[in-house]
Amino acid sequence: MTVVPGFLPYALGGWLFLIGLYGVITSRNLIHQVICLSVVQTSTYVVILAVGYRAGAAAPIFYDIPNRVPAVDPVVAALTLTDVVVEATVTAVLLALAVQAQKRFQSLDPERLSPLRG
Amino acid sequence: MSRRQRVGLFGAAAVVAAGLWCWGAWGLPGFGHYPGPYGQLINQLVVGQRHTTDAVTAVNFDYRGLDTIGEEFILFVSALGASVLLRVLRREHLRRRPVRGVAREAPQTSEAVRLAGIMLVAPGVVLGLYVVTHGQLTPGGGFQGGVILAAVGFAVFLTGRRLDLRRILPRHLSEAGHSLGAAGFVAVGLATLALGAAFLQNILPLGATAQLDSAGFIPIVSALIGLEVACALLLIASEFLLQAEEVEDQGEQRR
């Protein structure tokens, strides 16, 4: 019934992971780098939501449908919520580090950061 | 390592990683062919067992409550970490008033933005509280509603002329709310232990399905998490804004 080929979400997850990692590695700006890391984290949402999807199924909310109706997996949806929270918190801490890097080195270019001094 | 070498190394590693990923994903069921029993089991049992119509909320706050405590503490610690990283350092000091003409000063807010911001406040608060309190019935819950409530703080911030979120939510209140939310969830778990049940076992009366007061302790936990998320987000945002506005490096000033 579905028009999406069975492998596409997994391929998309892998591609998002690698393209985000490429961004992290080649980035010349710490803020851009943090956003690239968010792209890497997005890949996990795609993959785990894809695992829980059932073709033609409803959302797992039984407020106005009986619970006999097939619904997608609520466990992976809950895991994705955890994932989003973790992404937001990681982003906050990394951006705080970027602020401090700018203050100390007057630059956001990762290649201009000198090694840590004690 | 030069840039070119690094990209080359990444290319080689990416080919290997992509190969491993294809190998690993090969046996996975195709998109739309959900195999596992857990989701189906929870979908069939959740309304009868927990009187909760949103299966995702039931998984998060009840079946998997212990993990959500961990998740909540990740948020707690990261708000703490952002505060510590953005603390006022020894060689910095707080500026009393923004200096005129610096690039970092906020531009004047237009009347249209101010009006829209003010108009968003009341509906935003109502929507946020609705989403927090109806998590057991329809999509939503503490995490989602908390983000909406924090967004109301940002709308107020947009309407102001000064970059200070502490006027909207004073520092000690946001810290207290954020700690109370985190501690409250654990306290609910300890209370169930004290009453002789398992940690975070849903022993409160479950109420009538699809009513606001159903689902046992899920609405209580959801409200606590909403409090924590809203306060933590406002705390983090106010730390960043404090940096932009008021902290200034004395070393820089002398130059």
Side-chain angles (χ1 to χ4, degrees):
Chain A
M1 229 176 12
T2 171
V3 288
V4 181
F7 64 90
L8 189 65
Y10 305 121
L12 177 66
W15 182 76
L16 280 172
F17 183 87
L18 289 176
I19 202 76
L21 210 56
Y22 174 79
V24 170
I25 285 167
T26 57
S27 174
R28 302 301 298 268
N29 182 303
L30 286 175
I31 308 232
H32 174 262
Q33 203 167 30
V34 173
I35 294 169
C36 291
L37 189 68
S38 305
V39 174
V40 173
Q41 289 174 313
T42 313
S43 64
T44 57
Y45 313 157
V46 175
V47 171
I48 59 182
L49 284 178
V51 167
Y53 182 69
R54 284 172 85 177
I61 314 289
F62 304 101
Y63 189 69
D64 47 7
I65 54 173
N67 64 350
R68 298 181 308 278
V69 177
V72 301
D73 185 353
V75 180
V76 292
L79 275 176
T80 308
L81 181 65
T82 305
D83 213 348
V84 172
V85 172
V86 171
E87 180 191 333
T89 59
V90 167
T91 305
V93 174
L94 288 178
L95 287 177
L97 282 172
V99 168
Q100 292 298 359
Q102 164 71 34
K103 269 202 255 175
R104 177 150 304 185
F105 303 107
Q106 276 82 50
S107 165
L108 279 174
D109 186 344
E111 295 189 7
R112 287 182 159 206
L113 307 184
S114 48
L116 284 174
R117 286 163 301 186
Chain B
M1 194 189 288
S2 80
R3 223 179 141 67
R4 174 167 287 184
Q5 279 173 321
R6 204 188 313 161
V7 174
L9 191 63
F10 169 76
V15 171
V16 175
L20 281 173
W21 173 244
C22 289
W23 184 40
W26 195 252
L28 287 178
F31 183 62
H33 300 276
Y34 175 66
Y38 302 113
Q40 286 154 354
L41 272 178
I42 285 185
N43 282 340
Q44 281 158 20
L45 295 176
V46 67
V47 177
Q49 272 190 348
R50 294 292 190 266
H51 295 202
T52 307
T53 52
D54 180 353
V56 180
T57 302
V59 170
N60 252 327
F61 296 155
D62 190 336
Y63 293 115
R64 212 182 59 113
L66 188 64
D67 291 343
T68 307
I69 287 189
E71 178 184 350
E72 202 191 18
F73 275 86
I74 291 174
L75 181 64
F76 182 79
V77 170
S78 95
L80 215 63
S83 303
V84 170
L85 282 171
L86 296 177
R87 71 195 182 279
V88 178
L89 295 175
R90 234 173 311 159
R91 50 200 192 96
E92 296 170 343
H93 68 113
L94 287 181
R95 231 187 294 153
R96 288 266 178 273
R97 300 158 80 208
V99 180
R100 286 229 154 266
V102 250
R104 287 189 292 185
E105 193 186 356
Q108 284 280 342
T109 311
S110 80
E111 294 297 318
V113 171
R114 301 189 69 185
L115 185 68
I118 291 167
M119 279 166 48
L120 275 174
V121 170
V125 170
V126 173
L127 178 67
L129 291 176
Y130 174 85
V131 172
V132 169
T133 52
H134 288 69
Q136 69 276 26
L137 305 176
T138 46
F143 287 104
Q144 298 90 325
V147 173
I148 298 174
L149 288 174
V152 174
F154 303 146
V156 176
F157 154 71
L158 278 179
T159 63
R161 290 177 194 276
R162 284 206 55 204
L163 295 162
D164 196 350
L165 273 177
R166 287 167 306 167
R167 292 282 291 281
I168 303 167
L169 187 68
R171 191 56 188 277
H172 58 276
L173 276 185
S174 60
E175 278 178 356
H178 154 72
S179 312
L180 190 72
F185 199 167
V186 179
V188 169
L190 292 177
T192 58
L193 271 186
L195 291 170
F199 189 71
L200 280 181
Q201 190 180 341
N202 200 341
I203 48 170
L204 284 182
L206 290 172
T209 303
Q211 294 300 312
L212 191 56
D213 58 349
S214 65
F217 72 45
I218 290 178
I220 299 172
V221 167
S222 179
L224 286 168
I225 290 183
L227 181 69
E228 192 202 339
V229 171
C231 290
L233 288 182
L234 283 173
L235 191 67
I236 293 173
S238 75
E239 287 290 347
F240 277 104
L241 290 171
L242 191 69
Q243 289 286 319
E245 164 96 340
E246 288 189 346
V247 174
E248 149 177 299
D249 195 324
Q250 276 184 326
E252 235 180 348
Q253 207 178 27
R254 263 184 247 119
R255 244 179 273 142

